[in-house]
Amino acid sequence: MLNPRTLAILLILVSTVGISFGGLIMRQIEFGDAWQITFHRNLAFFIAISLILVKSYRSKSFGALYSVGRPGIIAGLFLAIANICFIHSLSITSVANTLFTLSAIPFITAIIAFFVLKEIISFKTFLIMVTAFLGIILMVSEGLQTNQFTGMTLALFTALSFSCFTIVLRKYNHLDMIPCLLISSILVVAITYIVSAGNIFIPMKEIAYCFFWGGVLSGFVNSAFIFATKYLSASEVTLFMLLEFSLGPMWVWLFLHEAVSPQTLAGGAIVIFCVSVNSLMKLKASQ
């Protein structure tokens, strides 16, 4: 039987590969602006998390939502900001530019965790992160050369917000923070509905894509992510996420031929290598 730490690593790896198809799904949505897509994606996310809460707590679901208190609200707010900025970034720049900019998440998280949580980064992990950072420099520099500043700025806000979300989860890992996902989805649905002035209607095909992306993929991934933060450090969890940011552009390149330069591919290969080495190290150490 797998110990909790090994299970956390495996869950985060599987969920990361699954959510890496998000950019590909986004490119399949032909009708609907960023606000409408964000609305339906998070509506699906709300339904998925509600079902998880009801299954876990049954009649005590509202009590579980109340128990997360201020930390849950803060975490939900950070995740809501990340969700909104993420979709808007994807809508105005390439999947590669968005996801490769998000590769900064582990480094932002590690820095914040060092100051806020006093988490020490091992020398081996530090070397892996430095190597991965070289790959990120290759990828991000390519994006800047193509005048995609606004999209990459939004992606950077996504990275910062998600890193803060991770820190809150890690700091309060004694709480079941699954309810904060519900708080996040409620905030996003409300904000997008208001900004769209109620114009949230898009074709059923697009809604289906949003529901699969937000309900199935994001619902599973975020639940796995919260579970993982109970047994892995903030920097460890987010380092695994680099796999998503490297695979995502590859899917749109393979299936939709969205251009990815040799420089971007080289940087992505470096990041994937670093994540693979880190994953094997963590799995071996957890045995």
Side-chain angles (χ1 to χ4, degrees), residues 6 155 167 189-190:
T6 301
I167 295 299
V189 167

Side-chain angles (χ1 to χ4, degrees), residues 96 100 138-139 142-143 145-146 253 258-267:
F100 289 153
L138 278 175
M139 297 181 288
E142 174 70 16
Q145 293 168 14
T146 55
W253 174 64
E258 184 170 297
V260 181
S261 71
Q263 182 175 328
T264 301
L265 287 173

Side-chain angles (χ1 to χ4, degrees), residues 14-82:
V14 172
S15 62
T16 296
V17 173
I19 201 62
S20 70
F21 287 93
L24 183 61
I25 295 172
M26 178 73 176
R27 291 295 181 260
Q28 301 298 319
I29 301 174
E30 300 175 348
F31 302 97
D33 61 26
W35 291 108
Q36 293 170 325
I37 294 170
T38 304
F39 174 87
H40 289 287
R41 179 174 179 265
N42 279 271
L43 180 61
F45 187 54
F46 170 80
I47 294 171
I49 299 303
S50 295
L51 291 175
I52 291 173
L53 279 178
V54 170
K55 184 178 184 301
S56 301
Y57 292 97
R58 299 187 183 279
S59 61
K60 298 180 180 179
S61 297
F62 285 105
L65 186 62
Y66 180 78
S67 67
V68 295
R70 184 179 297 177
I73 295 174
I74 295 172
L77 180 59
F78 279 129
L79 185 59
I81 294 171

Side-chain angles (χ1 to χ4, degrees), residues 4-19 45 49 52 162 165 169 176-178 181 216-232 237 240-241:
R5 183 175 167 81
T6 301
L7 180 60
I9 292 172
L10 292 176
L11 276 176
I12 205 71
L13 282 174
V14 172
S15 62
T16 296
V17 173
I19 201 62
F45 187 54
I49 299 303
I52 291 173
F162 196 88
F165 166 69
L169 293 185
D176 181 1
M177 294 291 274
I178 291 291
L181 301 179
V216 178
L217 292 182
S218 294
F220 170 65
V221 168
N222 282 277
S223 299
F225 187 84
I226 287 180
F227 175 79
T229 58
K230 292 180 178 294
Y231 304 100
L232 304 173
V237 173
F240 285 115
M241 293 173 61

Side-chain angles (χ1 to χ4, degrees), residues 16 60 92 121 134 137 145 149 168 170 173 176-177 207 237 257:
T16 296
K60 298 180 180 179
I92 60 178
I121 304 172
L134 296 176
I137 290 175
Q145 293 168 14
F149 180 76
V168 176
R170 185 62 182 167
N173 62 2
D176 181 1
M177 294 291 274
I207 291 177
V237 173
H257 307 293

